[in-house]
Amino acid sequence: MSKITAAITAVGAYVPEDVLTNKMLEEMVDTNDEWITSRTGIKERRILKDPKKGTSYLAIQAAKEILRKTNLDPEEIDLIIMATATPDMPVASTGVHVATQIGATNAFSYDLQAACSGFLYGMSTASAYIESGRYKKVIVIGADKMSSIIDYTDRTTCIIFGDGAGAVLMEPNTEGLGLQDEILRSDSIGRASLKIEAGGSLTPPTEETVAKKLHFVRQDGKTVFKFAVSNMAGVSEKIMKRNDLTNEDVNWLVAHQANKRIIDATANRMGLNDENKVLMNIQRYGNTTSATLPLLLSDYEKNFKKGDNLIFASFGGGFTWGAAYLKWAYNS
Ligand code: UT7
């Protein structure tokens, strides 16, 4: 019997309609379009303005797109892994709600929190289940309503993040396509550099934590930038070497969209001198945390050919980071 690998067989995505441009941010904080564009590559982001809608809303739209595109009966889905740093609520699981809302009544679901690497870790988990033969149809969703944890008076964070969702269906493959290899890492040296300090078990919410704005995301951008460049580029280069891939062999770099300069540094280290191979949508969506990787897949799906070599790379709070090598499984 041929070996079972886990392949991506469909992609879905959703971003809210409301656009927050650099020009609009100029009215809100002391910043300007030139600074934001040159330091990050971001021009605008999408914001889910409806206060009654949380991350599950974004995720449901992305998952429904997969059902529409594939005609998949939701009752056939075995598992939904919901990567998010902004669950609807701390308890109960957002993934469970998403599964029920899309009619995945035979599936189980749970949330996975690994900040910006959540989707990559989720793909790894889904693949392990599929390779073992335990489950056959797994949806991995990356979705975040970052606007719910951003202080829009803090110019060091509010210019970066946006809201969005992306999802993939993963299924068994016997042609050798799908996930080939991965390197996943984490290190709590980053715990202080990128965090929401309060609201968890260590510092539960109080009037004081609210007054001190400790429920918003804070980051020491310079430190995160330094670790992001060296770690994301490091694992991306390593996974190429380990799989004997040259820059010619790599068709696409699917890198977390946190800062164009970090993506460029990673591509550089991999020797990818053809910029068309480096997927980029940060200019339109900013950093959507768990959603950046599947949003890229959705935007570029039509460019991928069966057998193409994709390198995924991510870096996020925690710190969490990693790279994965995947062979694309279909022509669209
Ligand atoms: O996805 C999770 C992982 N997150 C990341 O990977 C983010 C990594 N970090 C970054 O992308 C960058 O560090 C930032 C985009 C956040 C900041 O860029 P930077 O080049 O590292 O700027 P900086 O923090 O060193 O600030 C440079 C200057 C400072 O002024 P002084 O002290 O030199 O006078 C800041 O106060 O720019 C100032 N500044 C701004 N100016 C205009 C900071 N934010 C802004 C702003 N507009 N929005």
PDB file of all heavy atoms in Angstrom, residues 58-71:
ATOM      1  N   LEU A  58     -16.113  35.279  11.240  1.00  0.00           N
ATOM      2  CA  LEU A  58     -15.119  35.271  10.159  1.00  0.00           C
ATOM      3  C   LEU A  58     -14.820  33.829   9.730  1.00  0.00           C
ATOM      4  O   LEU A  58     -14.772  33.503   8.540  1.00  0.00           O
ATOM      5  CB  LEU A  58     -13.820  35.937  10.625  1.00  0.00           C
ATOM      6  CG  LEU A  58     -13.908  37.386  11.122  1.00  0.00           C
ATOM      7  CD1 LEU A  58     -12.620  37.778  11.839  1.00  0.00           C
ATOM      8  CD2 LEU A  58     -14.167  38.324   9.957  1.00  0.00           C
ATOM      9  N   ALA A  59     -14.632  32.971  10.731  1.00  0.00           N
ATOM     10  CA  ALA A  59     -14.254  31.576  10.475  1.00  0.00           C
ATOM     11  C   ALA A  59     -15.369  30.826   9.740  1.00  0.00           C
ATOM     12  O   ALA A  59     -15.098  30.036   8.821  1.00  0.00           O
ATOM     13  CB  ALA A  59     -13.936  30.882  11.796  1.00  0.00           C
ATOM     14  N   ILE A  60     -16.602  31.089  10.144  1.00  0.00           N
ATOM     15  CA  ILE A  60     -17.748  30.398   9.506  1.00  0.00           C
ATOM     16  C   ILE A  60     -17.804  30.746   8.016  1.00  0.00           C
ATOM     17  O   ILE A  60     -18.007  29.878   7.167  1.00  0.00           O
ATOM     18  CB  ILE A  60     -19.071  30.777  10.231  1.00  0.00           C
ATOM     19  CG1 ILE A  60     -19.109  30.116  11.615  1.00  0.00           C
ATOM     20  CG2 ILE A  60     -20.293  30.380   9.403  1.00  0.00           C
ATOM     21  CD1 ILE A  60     -20.165  30.679  12.555  1.00  0.00           C
ATOM     22  N   GLN A  61     -17.578  32.033   7.701  1.00  0.00           N
ATOM     23  CA  GLN A  61     -17.628  32.433   6.273  1.00  0.00           C
ATOM     24  C   GLN A  61     -16.534  31.720   5.483  1.00  0.00           C
ATOM     25  O   GLN A  61     -16.764  31.268   4.363  1.00  0.00           O
ATOM     26  CB  GLN A  61     -17.451  33.956   6.096  1.00  0.00           C
ATOM     27  CG  GLN A  61     -18.304  34.840   6.986  1.00  0.00           C
ATOM     28  CD  GLN A  61     -19.762  34.443   7.005  1.00  0.00           C
ATOM     29  OE1 GLN A  61     -20.370  34.233   5.960  1.00  0.00           O
ATOM     30  NE2 GLN A  61     -20.328  34.285   8.191  1.00  0.00           N
ATOM     31  N   ALA A  62     -15.336  31.619   6.059  1.00  0.00           N
ATOM     32  CA  ALA A  62     -14.228  30.967   5.344  1.00  0.00           C
ATOM     33  C   ALA A  62     -14.510  29.478   5.141  1.00  0.00           C
ATOM     34  O   ALA A  62     -14.306  28.926   4.054  1.00  0.00           O
ATOM     35  CB  ALA A  62     -12.929  31.161   6.124  1.00  0.00           C
ATOM     36  N   ALA A  63     -15.029  28.820   6.188  1.00  0.00           N
ATOM     37  CA  ALA A  63     -15.333  27.379   6.094  1.00  0.00           C
ATOM     38  C   ALA A  63     -16.463  27.131   5.097  1.00  0.00           C
ATOM     39  O   ALA A  63     -16.429  26.170   4.323  1.00  0.00           O
ATOM     40  CB  ALA A  63     -15.709  26.835   7.473  1.00  0.00           C
ATOM     41  N   LYS A  64     -17.453  28.036   5.094  1.00  0.00           N
ATOM     42  CA  LYS A  64     -18.581  27.870   4.161  1.00  0.00           C
ATOM     43  C   LYS A  64     -18.114  27.989   2.719  1.00  0.00           C
ATOM     44  O   LYS A  64     -18.683  27.363   1.824  1.00  0.00           O
ATOM     45  CB  LYS A  64     -19.668  28.909   4.452  1.00  0.00           C
ATOM     46  CG  LYS A  64     -20.590  28.509   5.584  1.00  0.00           C
ATOM     47  CD  LYS A  64     -21.714  29.520   5.716  1.00  0.00           C
ATOM     48  CE  LYS A  64     -22.735  29.100   6.751  1.00  0.00           C
ATOM     49  NZ  LYS A  64     -23.675  30.200   7.050  1.00  0.00           N
ATOM     50  N   GLU A  65     -17.097  28.803   2.480  1.00  0.00           N
ATOM     51  CA  GLU A  65     -16.593  28.908   1.108  1.00  0.00           C
ATOM     52  C   GLU A  65     -16.048  27.550   0.627  1.00  0.00           C
ATOM     53  O   GLU A  65     -16.223  27.166  -0.523  1.00  0.00           O
ATOM     54  CB  GLU A  65     -15.518  30.001   0.971  1.00  0.00           C
ATOM     55  CG  GLU A  65     -15.345  30.350  -0.506  1.00  0.00           C
ATOM     56  CD  GLU A  65     -14.148  31.223  -0.832  1.00  0.00           C
ATOM     57  OE1 GLU A  65     -13.357  31.557   0.068  1.00  0.00           O
ATOM     58  OE2 GLU A  65     -14.006  31.556  -2.023  1.00  0.00           O
ATOM     59  N   ILE A  66     -15.390  26.843   1.535  1.00  0.00           N
ATOM     60  CA  ILE A  66     -14.894  25.499   1.181  1.00  0.00           C
ATOM     61  C   ILE A  66     -16.067  24.580   0.829  1.00  0.00           C
ATOM     62  O   ILE A  66     -16.035  23.855  -0.172  1.00  0.00           O
ATOM     63  CB  ILE A  66     -14.061  24.908   2.340  1.00  0.00           C
ATOM     64  CG1 ILE A  66     -12.733  25.645   2.443  1.00  0.00           C
ATOM     65  CG2 ILE A  66     -13.862  23.398   2.159  1.00  0.00           C
ATOM     66  CD1 ILE A  66     -11.794  25.086   3.475  1.00  0.00           C
ATOM     67  N   LEU A  67     -17.124  24.628   1.636  1.00  0.00           N
ATOM     68  CA  LEU A  67     -18.280  23.760   1.371  1.00  0.00           C
ATOM     69  C   LEU A  67     -18.896  24.094   0.012  1.00  0.00           C
ATOM     70  O   LEU A  67     -19.240  23.207  -0.762  1.00  0.00           O
ATOM     71  CB  LEU A  67     -19.332  23.916   2.482  1.00  0.00           C
ATOM     72  CG  LEU A  67     -18.890  23.547   3.902  1.00  0.00           C
ATOM     73  CD1 LEU A  67     -20.043  23.724   4.882  1.00  0.00           C
ATOM     74  CD2 LEU A  67     -18.380  22.100   3.952  1.00  0.00           C
ATOM     75  N   ARG A  68     -18.986  25.406  -0.274  1.00  0.00           N
ATOM     76  CA  ARG A  68     -19.555  25.842  -1.562  1.00  0.00           C
ATOM     77  C   ARG A  68     -18.705  25.355  -2.730  1.00  0.00           C
ATOM     78  O   ARG A  68     -19.212  24.821  -3.711  1.00  0.00           O
ATOM     79  CB  ARG A  68     -19.596  27.373  -1.603  1.00  0.00           C
ATOM     80  CG  ARG A  68     -20.926  27.991  -1.200  1.00  0.00           C
ATOM     81  CD  ARG A  68     -21.058  29.420  -1.692  1.00  0.00           C
ATOM     82  NE  ARG A  68     -19.919  30.264  -1.415  1.00  0.00           N
ATOM     83  CZ  ARG A  68     -19.709  30.920  -0.269  1.00  0.00           C
ATOM     84  NH1 ARG A  68     -20.564  30.791   0.721  1.00  0.00           N
ATOM     85  NH2 ARG A  68     -18.643  31.669  -0.104  1.00  0.00           N
ATOM     86  N   LYS A  69     -17.379  25.527  -2.604  1.00  0.00           N
ATOM     87  CA  LYS A  69     -16.497  25.207  -3.722  1.00  0.00           C
ATOM     88  C   LYS A  69     -16.415  23.699  -3.991  1.00  0.00           C
ATOM     89  O   LYS A  69     -16.184  23.276  -5.111  1.00  0.00           O
ATOM     90  CB  LYS A  69     -15.081  25.738  -3.441  1.00  0.00           C
ATOM     91  CG  LYS A  69     -14.955  27.235  -3.720  1.00  0.00           C
ATOM     92  CD  LYS A  69     -13.740  27.838  -3.065  1.00  0.00           C
ATOM     93  CE  LYS A  69     -12.482  27.747  -3.848  1.00  0.00           C
ATOM     94  NZ  LYS A  69     -11.383  28.519  -3.207  1.00  0.00           N
ATOM     95  N   THR A  70     -16.553  22.901  -2.941  1.00  0.00           N
ATOM     96  CA  THR A  70     -16.316  21.458  -3.098  1.00  0.00           C
ATOM     97  C   THR A  70     -17.604  20.638  -3.102  1.00  0.00           C
ATOM     98  O   THR A  70     -17.540  19.435  -3.363  1.00  0.00           O
ATOM     99  CB  THR A  70     -15.457  20.931  -1.927  1.00  0.00           C
ATOM    100  OG1 THR A  70     -16.148  21.237  -0.707  1.00  0.00           O
ATOM    101  CG2 THR A  70     -14.081  21.561  -1.896  1.00  0.00           C
ATOM    102  N   ASN A  71     -18.732  21.271  -2.771  1.00  0.00           N
ATOM    103  CA  ASN A  71     -19.987  20.523  -2.578  1.00  0.00           C
ATOM    104  C   ASN A  71     -19.871  19.461  -1.494  1.00  0.00           C
ATOM    105  O   ASN A  71     -20.579  18.459  -1.506  1.00  0.00           O
ATOM    106  CB  ASN A  71     -20.427  19.841  -3.882  1.00  0.00           C
ATOM    107  CG  ASN A  71     -21.078  20.835  -4.804  1.00  0.00           C
ATOM    108  OD1 ASN A  71     -21.767  21.740  -4.337  1.00  0.00           O
ATOM    109  ND2 ASN A  71     -20.842  20.704  -6.097  1.00  0.00           N
TER     110      ASN A  71
END
